[in-house]
Amino acid sequence: MNKEQLEGKWNQVKGEFKQKYGNLTDDDTTFDEGKFDEMLGRLQEKTGKRKEEIKKEIETW
């Protein structure tokens, strides 16, 4: 899955991700144009998972 597809998928599943990881806020799950990797870093900090694990979880959601 390329970056654009991953970003699109994220827009579909971010609400469910926030339910699964209750400590995530809207600010944590939102990204500005070109800052998807920065948002992944915030998710990494909050969930304790590696970025690759988060990407894989998004892909398979």
Side-chain angles (χ1 to χ4, degrees), residues 6-26:
L6 190 62
E7 288 177 14
K9 178 81 172 191
W10 176 249
N11 286 325
Q12 295 173 8
V13 301
K14 66 182 169 183
E16 295 174 38
F17 230 74
K18 283 175 30 183
Q19 289 176 354
K20 182 175 181 179
Y21 301 104
N23 62 336
L24 296 179
T25 66
D26 286 336

Side-chain angles (χ1 to χ4, degrees), residues 16-60:
E16 295 174 38
F17 230 74
K18 283 175 30 183
Q19 289 176 354
K20 182 175 181 179
Y21 301 104
N23 62 336
L24 296 179
T25 66
D26 286 336
D27 287 342
D28 294 326
T29 60
T30 304
F31 64 95
D32 293 326
E33 185 79 25
K35 297 210 174 194
F36 187 71
D37 287 332
E38 184 178 312
M39 185 214 56
L40 286 176
R42 288 194 310 264
L43 294 176
Q44 181 182 14
E45 287 178 25
K46 293 273 184 145
T47 63
K49 295 183 175 215
R50 294 187 337 249
K51 284 185 184 180
E52 295 309 316
E53 290 175 302
I54 294 169
K55 287 180 182 179
K56 188 165 190 93
E57 189 169 350
I58 293 168
E59 288 176 4
T60 59

